[in-house]
Amino acid sequence: MEDELRIFKSENETLKAQVEEYQSKISELETKKQEFENQRAEFVATIQQKDISLKLAEKGLGEFKDFFSNVEPDKLEEQIQKFQQLVKQKEIDNSYKPTNHKQDDTYAQAKNKGDLKSMFGALLFNKN
């Protein structure tokens, strides 16, 4: 019986050593898995940034890539369209608008039509 007890203790110690060995291997694998996931996330982020840069360059907006750095890839096209609309609207708002433009008065309109009666009326009664 003592021999069996020693055998069980010996087997128990062997099993404990194996469990510790497996647990250390598991922790090593979990560490490697975490490193792999971090590396994968970096690669995905790099690919997404390059994709954003490429799409912006295709649209002629390469110099604005910093404004699109946090855009989700599936919403990039929508954001580019909104940005282009804003840029177009700003170009229109900032374009040349004459300030001294006035509409033709009654005299000028009558003169363009060749209507002498209306021209004299506009001069005499100052109808503008």
Side-chain angles (χ1 to χ4, degrees), residues 3 18 21 26 31 52 69 73 79-80 83 88 90 92 100-102 112 114 118 120:
D3 287 339
Q18 286 178 348
E21 181 182 334
I26 288 172
T31 303
I52 288 171
S69 61
Q79 291 295 324
I80 288 174
F83 187 77
K88 185 183 278 187
K90 283 296 179 188
I92 291 171
N100 60 354
H101 177 73
K102 62 179 183 176
N112 288 339
S118 297
F120 289 131

PDB file of all heavy atoms in Angstrom, residues 3 18 21 26 31 52 69 73 79-80 83 88 90 92 100-102 112 114 118 120:
ATOM      1  N   ASP A   3       3.733   1.445  -1.293  1.00  0.00           N
ATOM      2  CA  ASP A   3       4.293   1.552  -2.632  1.00  0.00           C
ATOM      3  C   ASP A   3       3.304   2.239  -3.588  1.00  0.00           C
ATOM      4  O   ASP A   3       3.693   3.076  -4.401  1.00  0.00           O
ATOM      5  CB  ASP A   3       4.648   0.167  -3.176  1.00  0.00           C
ATOM      6  CG  ASP A   3       5.880  -0.420  -2.508  1.00  0.00           C
ATOM      7  OD1 ASP A   3       6.660   0.381  -1.947  1.00  0.00           O
ATOM      8  OD2 ASP A   3       6.046  -1.631  -2.565  1.00  0.00           O
ATOM      9  N   GLN A  18       3.658  18.825 -15.163  1.00  0.00           N
ATOM     10  CA  GLN A  18       3.113  18.948 -16.515  1.00  0.00           C
ATOM     11  C   GLN A  18       2.097  20.099 -16.595  1.00  0.00           C
ATOM     12  O   GLN A  18       2.083  20.860 -17.564  1.00  0.00           O
ATOM     13  CB  GLN A  18       2.457  17.633 -16.949  1.00  0.00           C
ATOM     14  CG  GLN A  18       3.436  16.536 -17.296  1.00  0.00           C
ATOM     15  CD  GLN A  18       2.727  15.239 -17.674  1.00  0.00           C
ATOM     16  OE1 GLN A  18       1.523  15.078 -17.463  1.00  0.00           O
ATOM     17  NE2 GLN A  18       3.492  14.307 -18.226  1.00  0.00           N
ATOM     18  N   GLU A  21       3.949  23.296 -16.642  1.00  0.00           N
ATOM     19  CA  GLU A  21       4.575  23.458 -17.964  1.00  0.00           C
ATOM     20  C   GLU A  21       3.532  23.909 -18.995  1.00  0.00           C
ATOM     21  O   GLU A  21       3.781  24.830 -19.767  1.00  0.00           O
ATOM     22  CB  GLU A  21       5.208  22.131 -18.390  1.00  0.00           C
ATOM     23  CG  GLU A  21       5.901  22.179 -19.730  1.00  0.00           C
ATOM     24  CD  GLU A  21       6.458  20.807 -20.117  1.00  0.00           C
ATOM     25  OE1 GLU A  21       6.750  19.988 -19.234  1.00  0.00           O
ATOM     26  OE2 GLU A  21       6.587  20.585 -21.341  1.00  0.00           O
ATOM     27  N   ILE A  26       0.762  28.091 -22.181  1.00  0.00           N
ATOM     28  CA  ILE A  26      -0.465  28.828 -22.473  1.00  0.00           C
ATOM     29  C   ILE A  26      -0.228  30.319 -22.317  1.00  0.00           C
ATOM     30  O   ILE A  26      -0.647  31.121 -23.167  1.00  0.00           O
ATOM     31  CB  ILE A  26      -1.619  28.353 -21.553  1.00  0.00           C
ATOM     32  CG1 ILE A  26      -2.085  26.968 -21.980  1.00  0.00           C
ATOM     33  CG2 ILE A  26      -2.788  29.342 -21.585  1.00  0.00           C
ATOM     34  CD1 ILE A  26      -3.088  26.327 -21.041  1.00  0.00           C
ATOM     35  N   THR A  31       0.569  35.586 -24.835  1.00  0.00           N
ATOM     36  CA  THR A  31       1.415  36.750 -25.082  1.00  0.00           C
ATOM     37  C   THR A  31       1.671  36.903 -26.578  1.00  0.00           C
ATOM     38  O   THR A  31       1.568  38.002 -27.131  1.00  0.00           O
ATOM     39  CB  THR A  31       2.749  36.626 -24.328  1.00  0.00           C
ATOM     40  OG1 THR A  31       2.486  36.456 -22.940  1.00  0.00           O
ATOM     41  CG2 THR A  31       3.627  37.837 -24.544  1.00  0.00           C
ATOM     42  N   ILE A  52      -7.117  55.665 -47.611  1.00  0.00           N
ATOM     43  CA  ILE A  52      -7.664  57.026 -47.514  1.00  0.00           C
ATOM     44  C   ILE A  52      -6.833  57.980 -48.359  1.00  0.00           C
ATOM     45  O   ILE A  52      -7.369  58.779 -49.127  1.00  0.00           O
ATOM     46  CB  ILE A  52      -7.717  57.481 -46.042  1.00  0.00           C
ATOM     47  CG1 ILE A  52      -8.818  56.728 -45.298  1.00  0.00           C
ATOM     48  CG2 ILE A  52      -7.947  58.987 -45.937  1.00  0.00           C
ATOM     49  CD1 ILE A  52      -8.818  56.942 -43.793  1.00  0.00           C
ATOM     50  N   SER A  69      -8.243  61.699 -41.265  1.00  0.00           N
ATOM     51  CA  SER A  69      -7.479  60.650 -40.599  1.00  0.00           C
ATOM     52  C   SER A  69      -8.331  59.794 -39.666  1.00  0.00           C
ATOM     53  O   SER A  69      -8.041  58.625 -39.463  1.00  0.00           O
ATOM     54  CB  SER A  69      -6.304  61.246 -39.828  1.00  0.00           C
ATOM     55  OG  SER A  69      -6.779  62.129 -38.827  1.00  0.00           O
ATOM     56  N   PRO A  73     -13.466  53.842 -42.674  1.00  0.00           N
ATOM     57  CA  PRO A  73     -13.288  53.544 -44.107  1.00  0.00           C
ATOM     58  C   PRO A  73     -14.600  53.425 -44.876  1.00  0.00           C
ATOM     59  O   PRO A  73     -14.677  53.832 -46.028  1.00  0.00           O
ATOM     60  CB  PRO A  73     -12.539  52.208 -44.105  1.00  0.00           C
ATOM     61  CG  PRO A  73     -11.854  52.156 -42.789  1.00  0.00           C
ATOM     62  CD  PRO A  73     -12.742  52.896 -41.833  1.00  0.00           C
ATOM     63  N   GLN A  79     -17.939  61.276 -46.683  1.00  0.00           N
ATOM     64  CA  GLN A  79     -17.244  62.432 -46.127  1.00  0.00           C
ATOM     65  C   GLN A  79     -16.538  63.236 -47.224  1.00  0.00           C
ATOM     66  O   GLN A  79     -16.513  64.467 -47.177  1.00  0.00           O
ATOM     67  CB  GLN A  79     -16.235  61.998 -45.057  1.00  0.00           C
ATOM     68  CG  GLN A  79     -16.874  61.457 -43.807  1.00  0.00           C
ATOM     69  CD  GLN A  79     -17.677  62.506 -43.073  1.00  0.00           C
ATOM     70  OE1 GLN A  79     -17.305  63.667 -43.029  1.00  0.00           O
ATOM     71  NE2 GLN A  79     -18.788  62.099 -42.493  1.00  0.00           N
ATOM     72  N   ILE A  80     -15.968  62.538 -48.200  1.00  0.00           N
ATOM     73  CA  ILE A  80     -15.302  63.221 -49.316  1.00  0.00           C
ATOM     74  C   ILE A  80     -16.324  64.053 -50.091  1.00  0.00           C
ATOM     75  O   ILE A  80     -16.064  65.203 -50.444  1.00  0.00           O
ATOM     76  CB  ILE A  80     -14.597  62.207 -50.243  1.00  0.00           C
ATOM     77  CG1 ILE A  80     -13.353  61.635 -49.545  1.00  0.00           C
ATOM     78  CG2 ILE A  80     -14.209  62.852 -51.570  1.00  0.00           C
ATOM     79  CD1 ILE A  80     -12.674  60.526 -50.311  1.00  0.00           C
ATOM     80  N   PHE A  83     -17.239  67.093 -48.120  1.00  0.00           N
ATOM     81  CA  PHE A  83     -16.126  68.041 -48.135  1.00  0.00           C
ATOM     82  C   PHE A  83     -16.058  68.772 -49.476  1.00  0.00           C
ATOM     83  O   PHE A  83     -15.857  69.989 -49.513  1.00  0.00           O
ATOM     84  CB  PHE A  83     -14.811  67.301 -47.857  1.00  0.00           C
ATOM     85  CG  PHE A  83     -13.636  68.212 -47.697  1.00  0.00           C
ATOM     86  CD1 PHE A  83     -13.450  68.921 -46.526  1.00  0.00           C
ATOM     87  CD2 PHE A  83     -12.716  68.362 -48.717  1.00  0.00           C
ATOM     88  CE1 PHE A  83     -12.370  69.763 -46.364  1.00  0.00           C
ATOM     89  CE2 PHE A  83     -11.627  69.201 -48.574  1.00  0.00           C
ATOM     90  CZ  PHE A  83     -11.454  69.906 -47.389  1.00  0.00           C
ATOM     91  N   LYS A  88     -16.771  73.600 -52.743  1.00  0.00           N
ATOM     92  CA  LYS A  88     -17.437  74.251 -53.887  1.00  0.00           C
ATOM     93  C   LYS A  88     -18.249  75.450 -53.409  1.00  0.00           C
ATOM     94  O   LYS A  88     -18.212  76.516 -54.018  1.00  0.00           O
ATOM     95  CB  LYS A  88     -18.348  73.257 -54.606  1.00  0.00           C
ATOM     96  CG  LYS A  88     -18.977  73.833 -55.859  1.00  0.00           C
ATOM     97  CD  LYS A  88     -19.933  72.842 -56.494  1.00  0.00           C
ATOM     98  CE  LYS A  88     -19.156  71.866 -57.331  1.00  0.00           C
ATOM     99  NZ  LYS A  88     -20.043  70.975 -58.109  1.00  0.00           N
ATOM    100  N   LYS A  90     -17.732  77.258 -50.710  1.00  0.00           N
ATOM    101  CA  LYS A  90     -16.804  78.310 -50.301  1.00  0.00           C
ATOM    102  C   LYS A  90     -16.222  79.021 -51.518  1.00  0.00           C
ATOM    103  O   LYS A  90     -16.028  80.235 -51.493  1.00  0.00           O
ATOM    104  CB  LYS A  90     -15.662  77.741 -49.442  1.00  0.00           C
ATOM    105  CG  LYS A  90     -16.071  77.439 -48.034  1.00  0.00           C
ATOM    106  CD  LYS A  90     -16.447  78.721 -47.338  1.00  0.00           C
ATOM    107  CE  LYS A  90     -16.890  78.483 -45.935  1.00  0.00           C
ATOM    108  NZ  LYS A  90     -17.427  79.656 -45.295  1.00  0.00           N
ATOM    109  N   ILE A  92     -17.727  79.462 -54.330  1.00  0.00           N
ATOM    110  CA  ILE A  92     -18.798  80.328 -54.828  1.00  0.00           C
ATOM    111  C   ILE A  92     -18.929  81.555 -53.939  1.00  0.00           C
ATOM    112  O   ILE A  92     -19.040  82.681 -54.429  1.00  0.00           O
ATOM    113  CB  ILE A  92     -20.137  79.556 -54.904  1.00  0.00           C
ATOM    114  CG1 ILE A  92     -20.067  78.503 -56.016  1.00  0.00           C
ATOM    115  CG2 ILE A  92     -21.311  80.506 -55.129  1.00  0.00           C
ATOM    116  CD1 ILE A  92     -21.239  77.545 -56.031  1.00  0.00           C
ATOM    117  N   ASN A 100     -20.803  97.457 -57.513  1.00  0.00           N
ATOM    118  CA  ASN A 100     -21.356  98.669 -58.109  1.00  0.00           C
ATOM    119  C   ASN A 100     -22.364  98.365 -59.213  1.00  0.00           C
ATOM    120  O   ASN A 100     -22.681  99.221 -60.012  1.00  0.00           O
ATOM    121  CB  ASN A 100     -20.231  99.561 -58.653  1.00  0.00           C
ATOM    122  CG  ASN A 100     -19.414  98.850 -59.716  1.00  0.00           C
ATOM    123  OD1 ASN A 100     -19.617  97.673 -59.964  1.00  0.00           O
ATOM    124  ND2 ASN A 100     -18.482  99.560 -60.326  1.00  0.00           N
ATOM    125  N   HIS A 101     -22.867  97.170 -59.242  1.00  0.00           N
ATOM    126  CA  HIS A 101     -23.838  96.780 -60.255  1.00  0.00           C
ATOM    127  C   HIS A 101     -25.217  97.287 -59.857  1.00  0.00           C
ATOM    128  O   HIS A 101     -25.681  97.078 -58.751  1.00  0.00           O
ATOM    129  CB  HIS A 101     -23.873  95.255 -60.398  1.00  0.00           C
ATOM    130  CG  HIS A 101     -24.895  94.776 -61.370  1.00  0.00           C
ATOM    131  ND1 HIS A 101     -24.744  94.916 -62.717  1.00  0.00           N
ATOM    132  CD2 HIS A 101     -26.087  94.172 -61.185  1.00  0.00           C
ATOM    133  CE1 HIS A 101     -25.804  94.418 -63.329  1.00  0.00           C
ATOM    134  NE2 HIS A 101     -26.627  93.963 -62.418  1.00  0.00           N
ATOM    135  N   LYS A 102     -25.866  97.996 -60.766  1.00  0.00           N
ATOM    136  CA  LYS A 102     -27.222  98.441 -60.495  1.00  0.00           C
ATOM    137  C   LYS A 102     -28.091  98.071 -61.688  1.00  0.00           C
ATOM    138  O   LYS A 102     -27.621  97.950 -62.814  1.00  0.00           O
ATOM    139  CB  LYS A 102     -27.277  99.935 -60.233  1.00  0.00           C
ATOM    140  CG  LYS A 102     -26.827 100.800 -61.386  1.00  0.00           C
ATOM    141  CD  LYS A 102     -26.951 102.254 -61.036  1.00  0.00           C
ATOM    142  CE  LYS A 102     -26.548 103.090 -62.249  1.00  0.00           C
ATOM    143  NZ  LYS A 102     -26.744 104.489 -62.005  1.00  0.00           N
ATOM    144  N   ASN A 112     -32.885 101.324 -74.607  1.00  0.00           N
ATOM    145  CA  ASN A 112     -32.558 100.035 -75.234  1.00  0.00           C
ATOM    146  C   ASN A 112     -33.670  99.570 -76.170  1.00  0.00           C
ATOM    147  O   ASN A 112     -33.410  98.928 -77.181  1.00  0.00           O
ATOM    148  CB  ASN A 112     -32.293  98.972 -74.169  1.00  0.00           C
ATOM    149  CG  ASN A 112     -30.981  99.179 -73.452  1.00  0.00           C
ATOM    150  OD1 ASN A 112     -30.078  99.849 -73.971  1.00  0.00           O
ATOM    151  ND2 ASN A 112     -30.854  98.640 -72.256  1.00  0.00           N
ATOM    152  N   GLY A 114     -35.634 101.674 -77.720  1.00  0.00           N
ATOM    153  CA  GLY A 114     -35.820 102.685 -78.761  1.00  0.00           C
ATOM    154  C   GLY A 114     -37.144 103.420 -78.600  1.00  0.00           C
ATOM    155  O   GLY A 114     -37.666 103.993 -79.559  1.00  0.00           O
ATOM    156  N   SER A 118     -41.175 106.975 -73.802  1.00  0.00           N
ATOM    157  CA  SER A 118     -40.827 106.548 -72.441  1.00  0.00           C
ATOM    158  C   SER A 118     -39.532 107.200 -71.983  1.00  0.00           C
ATOM    159  O   SER A 118     -39.378 107.522 -70.798  1.00  0.00           O
ATOM    160  CB  SER A 118     -40.675 105.029 -72.368  1.00  0.00           C
ATOM    161  OG  SER A 118     -41.902 104.407 -72.676  1.00  0.00           O
ATOM    162  N   PHE A 120     -38.448 110.280 -72.840  1.00  0.00           N
ATOM    163  CA  PHE A 120     -38.782 111.653 -72.436  1.00  0.00           C
ATOM    164  C   PHE A 120     -39.545 111.658 -71.113  1.00  0.00           C
ATOM    165  O   PHE A 120     -39.317 112.494 -70.241  1.00  0.00           O
ATOM    166  CB  PHE A 120     -39.593 112.369 -73.513  1.00  0.00           C
ATOM    167  CG  PHE A 120     -38.791 112.720 -74.729  1.00  0.00           C
ATOM    168  CD1 PHE A 120     -39.249 112.406 -75.996  1.00  0.00           C
ATOM    169  CD2 PHE A 120     -37.585 113.397 -74.593  1.00  0.00           C
ATOM    170  CE1 PHE A 120     -38.502 112.740 -77.120  1.00  0.00           C
ATOM    171  CE2 PHE A 120     -36.854 113.743 -75.724  1.00  0.00           C
ATOM    172  CZ  PHE A 120     -37.303 113.411 -76.981  1.00  0.00           C
TER     173      PHE A 120
END
